[in-house]
Amino acid sequence: MAAGAPAERPQPGLTPPARRSPGFLSKMAASSGRSGRRLWAAVVPAALLCLVARAAEEPSTADFDVRPGGEVHSFSRSLVRGEERGDYTCTFTYSAQGGTNEQWQMNIGVSEDNLLFSCSVWRPQGKSYLFFTQFKAEVKGAKIEHAMAYSQAAVGAQSDIPLKQEEFEITETTVSHREGKFRFELSKLTIVAKTPHDEL
């Protein structure tokens, strides 16, 4: 960048620089075993919060109802990135039983360096009491670097409680329940995806 860049220019989305690069998150994912999984479950949500808080886009948190009854429902949010670059979209699809409607939230954002797209879906009260028979979060316009699913979301004195790795599966564009392994509890999903960038 030119030496005369404005002094008030906002800081990059994930600071320090090492933490705003996909390499940082890749190193975190490289940790294995129980201790690595705990570290991963703690660090990635924090990174997501930083990314969302410092996102280049306007605030993009939306409320929606998770409705029981056994039917499949979906909720989506998109960020428009222009005709040449396309949109970034996150879609949460689920089926749940028991109880009454619960208010959930979805937050999406792009880091200021445009390298990472984030999507978080959660129940603000921390714990869902619905019985989920299936779930899937899908991103379009980016490829998932890391994702995590939780049976309880951090709020107040409560902590994030991640699902066991065997309960869900991750592909390049989705994180979803694993048939026969998922124990029907879900309160939060987080995704960090790598965005395509032009090689000029």
Side-chain angles (χ1 to χ4, degrees), residues 38-118:
R38 287 194 206 100
L39 177 65
W40 160 248
V43 170
V44 170
L48 272 168
L49 287 176
C50 288
L51 193 158
V52 170
R54 308 293 287 276
E57 301 293 335
E58 64 275 4
S60 54
T61 298
D63 296 331
F64 67 99
D65 284 339
V66 169
R67 295 171 284 175
E71 297 181 0
V72 176
H73 299 282
S74 292
F75 181 80
S76 295
R77 294 282 288 167
S78 296
L79 291 178
V80 178
R81 304 298 297 165
E83 292 182 9
E84 294 182 2
R85 306 186 72 179
D87 298 348
Y88 300 138
T89 301
C90 184
T91 302
F92 175 55
T93 302
Y94 69 91
S95 175
Q97 297 277 12
T100 57
N101 287 6
E102 292 182 347
Q103 188 178 73
W104 283 47
Q105 292 183 337
M106 178 183 285
N107 189 297
I108 56 176
V110 179
S111 59
E112 288 189 5
D113 57 14
N114 289 320
L115 293 179
L116 299 172
F117 170 62
S118 73

Side-chain angles (χ1 to χ4, degrees), residues 37 41-42 45 102 104 121-130 132 148-164 167 182-190:
R37 187 165 163 266
E102 292 182 347
W104 283 47
V121 181
W122 74 97
R123 187 174 192 232
Q125 287 77 11
K127 175 73 174 177
S128 173
Y129 295 98
L130 297 179
F132 284 84
M148 185 60 68
Y150 303 83
S151 60
Q152 177 177 290
V155 61
Q158 299 178 353
S159 301
D160 282 335
I161 299 178
L163 298 186
K164 294 182 178 180
E167 293 187 70
F182 175 52
R183 293 174 175 80
F184 312 109
E185 291 185 301
L186 184 71
S187 297
K188 180 179 178 180
L189 288 166
T190 58

